[in-house]
Amino acid sequence: MEFIEIAGAGKKVSRLIKGTDYFFHDTYEKAATNLDAFLAIGGNTVDTAHIYCGGQSEEVLGRYMKERGNRNQMVILTKGAHHDQNGPRVNADAIRKDLTESLERLQTEHVELYALHRDDPNMPVAAILEALNEHIESGKIGAIGASNWTWQRLEEANAYAASHGLKGFTFSSPNLSLAKANEPFWAGCVSADAETLAWHEQTKLPLLSWSSQARGFFTGRFTPEVRDNADLVRVFYSDGNWERLRRAGELAASKNTTAIQIALAYVLNQSFPTCALIGAQNQAELLSCDEGSRITLTSEEIAWIDLASEVKPAGV
């Protein structure tokens, strides 16, 4: 397993990050087995959130770490300040409330990575960063980041932090996948476009991608005629993405691998530090991700499968 450095985290972060948005108390053994298998392939970083599974995701993870006695082995990424039925909650009170509850559920005093789950563009970055820095100073948070923030807001926030002696965001977590989103999967969510990738290349800010494999688009289960998954149709069905799938399959054949592993390798072979959040729920899916994370793609191969070049790489 490869790792990256995220400033403030205090530990190296595995390139594969285990998703936990299916962790429920009544399926605890499945979650524990999946986590054991993830650690066995060398992973150490787990993604959760205050809202996942109504709080059960964090509680199950906390129980697991307590029973296994392996908290020190783990890097925890949790997220807070998600909106509710009343609207945005990106403010000091919501951050404090969600973080306090998350730490209690996780049965820990500190998380290595803490991200704001959504943004509220009407909230000044000054107030947000001052609230987060309070928790960094108290030792409850290591690195701070943002999920579903635009690169422009990240740049504004980090400029403010640099000019006011505050800790800024040291990672971002939008969607990045070989399949390009036609529209947000959920309102307010952000997918990395060409400008976002260029900004990350310039700044080298680590990107932790959710839906890194486009929710199964590259598994081979979907075709233009198969339309039983309304969300996938809405977000990922497009002529461009069908061509990306075709090219990923062609490249995969030349490397004796699969299209979905090529899609994962696309995320992990960017020109700046990246990690991929994975939703593997069984051994076969986990091993597929592990194998995909080991594939090296050239810049020419990345450009070709992403339709940025019509020149087919040699050997394909």
Side-chain angles (χ1 to χ4, degrees):
M1 180 70 66
E2 293 184 345
F3 296 81
I4 67 167
E5 301 274 359
I6 295 180
K11 298 176 185 175
K12 292 183 178 180
V13 175
S14 55
R15 301 289 307 280
L16 295 180
I17 299 178
K18 181 75 184 76
T20 67
D21 61 353
Y22 64 95
F23 282 17
F24 292 95
H25 293 302
D26 60 2
T27 55
Y28 173 77
E29 292 304 325
K30 175 182 178 180
T33 298
N34 286 177
L35 286 169
D36 286 342
F38 178 65
L39 293 176
I41 65 168
N44 73 341
T45 306
V46 181
D47 168 70
T48 185
H50 183 266
I51 66 163
Y52 285 175
C53 306
Q56 292 185 56
S57 171
E58 291 178 325
E59 291 171 347
V60 166
L61 180 55
R63 174 186 169 187
Y64 170 82
M65 292 187 295
K66 183 177 181 180
E67 290 186 357
R68 295 294 195 272
N70 63 2
R71 171 66 183 95
N72 290 337
Q73 293 177 242
M74 311 286 283
V75 173
I76 300 174
L77 162 60
T78 195
K79 304 179 289 294
H82 196 282
H83 60 253
D84 63 14
Q85 67 275 12
N86 298 315
R89 298 176 59 252
V90 186
N91 58 67
D93 289 343
I95 291 169
R96 183 179 300 107
K97 175 183 180 294
D98 288 3
L99 176 60
T100 299
E101 292 178 358
S102 290
L103 294 174
E104 290 173 352
R105 294 169 179 169
L106 291 163
Q107 302 186 54
T108 189
E109 296 179 349
H110 166 87
V111 290
E112 288 78 12
L113 305 171
Y114 192 77
L116 299 176
H117 211 156
R118 296 292 183 89
D119 189 15
D120 176 3
N122 294 316
M123 179 64 66
V125 295
I128 297 170
L129 285 169
E130 286 162 7
L132 289 169
N133 272 256
E134 172 189 332
H135 300 299
I136 293 174
E137 291 168 9
S138 72
K140 295 177 181 178
I141 295 173
I144 54 173
S147 182
N148 298 302
W149 278 43
T150 65
W151 69 265
Q152 293 93 338
R153 279 279 281 180
L154 290 166
E155 186 170 77
E156 179 187 0
N158 281 356
Y160 179 87
S163 63
H164 289 80
L166 298 172
K167 301 286 188 182
F169 293 127
T170 55
F171 69 94
S172 177
S173 185
N175 162 245
L176 169 62
S177 67
L178 178 56
K180 308 309 173 190
N182 301 319
E183 61 181 73
F185 212 91
W186 299 280
C189 286
V190 172
S191 290
D193 57 14
E195 281 191 3
T196 302
L197 297 183
W199 183 80
H200 277 275
E201 183 172 9
Q202 175 190 353
T203 62
K204 302 303 180 186
L205 189 80
L207 186 155
L208 318 183
S209 170
W210 57 264
S211 285
S212 58
Q213 294 170 296
R215 304 181 75 83
F217 182 81
F218 293 92
T219 59
R221 296 195 301 265
F222 301 101
T223 68
E225 294 73 35
V226 175
R227 307 181 70 84
D228 56 347
N229 187 320
D231 282 331
L232 212 69
V233 170
R234 175 176 60 86
V235 178
F236 290 125
Y237 277 36
S238 70
D239 291 343
N241 284 337
W242 294 123
E243 177 62 13
R244 290 183 179 92
L245 173 58
R246 188 194 68 77
R247 292 188 185 191
E250 195 171 339
L251 182 59
S254 74
K255 294 180 179 291
N256 194 31
T257 185
T258 64
I260 196 164
Q261 289 173 323
I262 292 294
L264 181 63
Y266 166 85
V267 171
L268 296 176
N269 279 270
Q270 296 295 317
S271 57
F272 51 85
T274 57
C275 296
L277 278 59
I278 59 170
Q281 296 190 31
N282 57 54
Q283 187 75 5
E285 291 175 352
L286 182 63
L287 292 179
S288 172
C289 291
D290 186 32
E291 292 168 1
S293 74
R294 302 172 190 275
I295 296 171
T296 298
L297 298 180
T298 66
S299 58
E300 291 78 14
E301 288 169 336
I302 289 174
W304 183 69
I305 60 174
D306 201 16
L307 311 188
S309 171
E310 290 302 319
V311 179
K312 185 181 294 188
V316 178

